[in-house]
Amino acid sequence: MLVLLEPDFAALSREAARIVASAVKSNPSLNLGLATGSTTLGMYAEIIRIYREESLDFSDVTTFNLDEYLGIAPDHPQSFHFFMRENFFRHINVHPSRTHIPDGMIAGNYEEYCSSYEQEIRSAGGIDLQILGIGRNGHIGFNEPASSLASRTRLKVLTSETIEDNRKFFIPGEKIPECAITMGIGTILDARRILILASGDMKADAVCNHQRTKALAQLLDRKKSHGRHRLLCSRFSAALCSREHQKIVRTRSQRNNIGLDLRRAGRRRPVED
Ligand code: F6R
């Protein structure tokens, strides 16, 4: 994995969009794995700009989203369906039948539904490029940091912390989702390329303490993945890493021959070499 430090959120978003755009240009029938969350917003806006100005063509692209709340209709403003439609899909020429987001309205037989989502990914030929955000505590999708590396798409009961965090987004008295459907870590790690985005000081611990999130540790440890995966983080995330965590970045990058690219990190060197 290549760890790239970007000066700020705008630069991180531009670089992420550039990676996605060049993947689509070199493979017009790309299978693109997508995430929601505030970190992805800048990237989506930048991809839309490239789409308009450089005629990026999404007509043959297939997308698979990571996750969706259970019990929330696609037109609910907090649903990930709504997020994707408003922030990305309706601005580009992706074919609606080629976009896949777990169905938050299924009731019962979740296992069967989740394995059918996995089957759809497999039938499409697997995910070529998976975009990921990372939560403050290191979660990916709705997989908590200690989730099994072998986990597949499944129903997850949300932690009370996540439920409480979400309360502010819902109208008082409205039912707040307690479960979600999420791709598993195993599903995510099957992607041929992975791009993780982390911005802001709130993500410092998740970014720097790789031991914390099994999936991140796995990506950084896998020599065979060298060069294929990217962790793009703003220097603010990395700058706040404790000395101990900086050491982890350093020794892991040395041991695994990970390129730690500080060129874009601005004048300050957030992670000491
Ligand atoms: C959402 C998802 C989550 C977010 C993560 C970061 O599809 O996969 O893992 O990426 O919670 O969210 P933000 O970017 O809002 O901090």
Side-chain angles (χ1 to χ4, degrees), residues 7-191:
D8 53 30
F9 180 67
L12 178 142
S13 302
R14 277 196 301 275
E15 179 63 6
R18 191 197 61 74
I19 291 171
V20 173
S22 74
V24 172
K25 280 178 191 161
S26 59
N27 176 9
S29 49
L30 190 80
N31 291 334
L32 185 58
L34 296 173
T36 58
S38 53
T39 318
T40 60
L41 284 171
M43 175 193 73
Y44 288 132
E46 191 61 24
I47 300 174
I48 293 165
R49 186 195 62 73
I50 300 173
Y51 165 77
R52 288 181 182 147
E53 292 175 11
E54 298 175 27
S55 312
L56 196 58
D57 184 10
F58 283 90
S59 59
D60 265 342
V61 170
T62 300
T63 68
F64 289 94
N65 263 77
L66 280 176
D67 45 10
E68 178 59 286
Y69 289 119
L70 198 66
I72 284 212
D75 57 356
H76 190 290
Q78 295 310 322
S79 75
F80 294 169
H81 280 76
F82 187 91
F83 178 102
M84 291 309 301
R85 195 169 56 245
E86 288 306 305
N87 295 303
F88 194 39
F89 294 152
R90 77 181 179 87
H91 303 282
I92 58 169
N93 67 337
V94 69
H95 202 287
S97 67
R98 287 185 177 275
T99 64
H100 304 81
I101 305 178
D103 183 354
M105 293 308 284
I106 49 150
N109 224 339
Y110 301 114
E111 266 183 47
E112 194 182 307
Y113 174 75
C114 292
S115 53
S116 75
Y117 197 70
E118 291 270 329
Q119 184 54 46
E120 277 190 282
I121 297 174
R122 271 197 301 275
S123 308
I127 292 173
D128 296 304
L129 173 61
Q130 175 68 55
I131 309 299
L132 299 176
I134 188 161
R136 213 154 32 120
N137 74 346
H139 69 242
I140 291 177
F142 279 107
N143 300 285
E144 292 303 325
S147 288
S148 159
L149 293 173
S151 55
R152 312 302 306 188
T153 303
R154 66 207 185 291
L155 179 85
K156 285 285 285 182
V157 177
L158 305 183
T159 61
S160 47
E161 194 188 357
T162 305
I163 295 171
E164 274 321 301
D165 280 356
N166 284 340
R167 193 172 292 283
K168 58 181 173 296
F169 299 120
F170 289 81
I171 299 165
E174 193 178 7
K175 191 161 169 19
I176 300 167
E178 291 174 357
C179 297
I181 291 176
T182 183
M183 277 188 200
I185 296 296
T187 322
I188 292 166
L189 293 176
D190 281 349

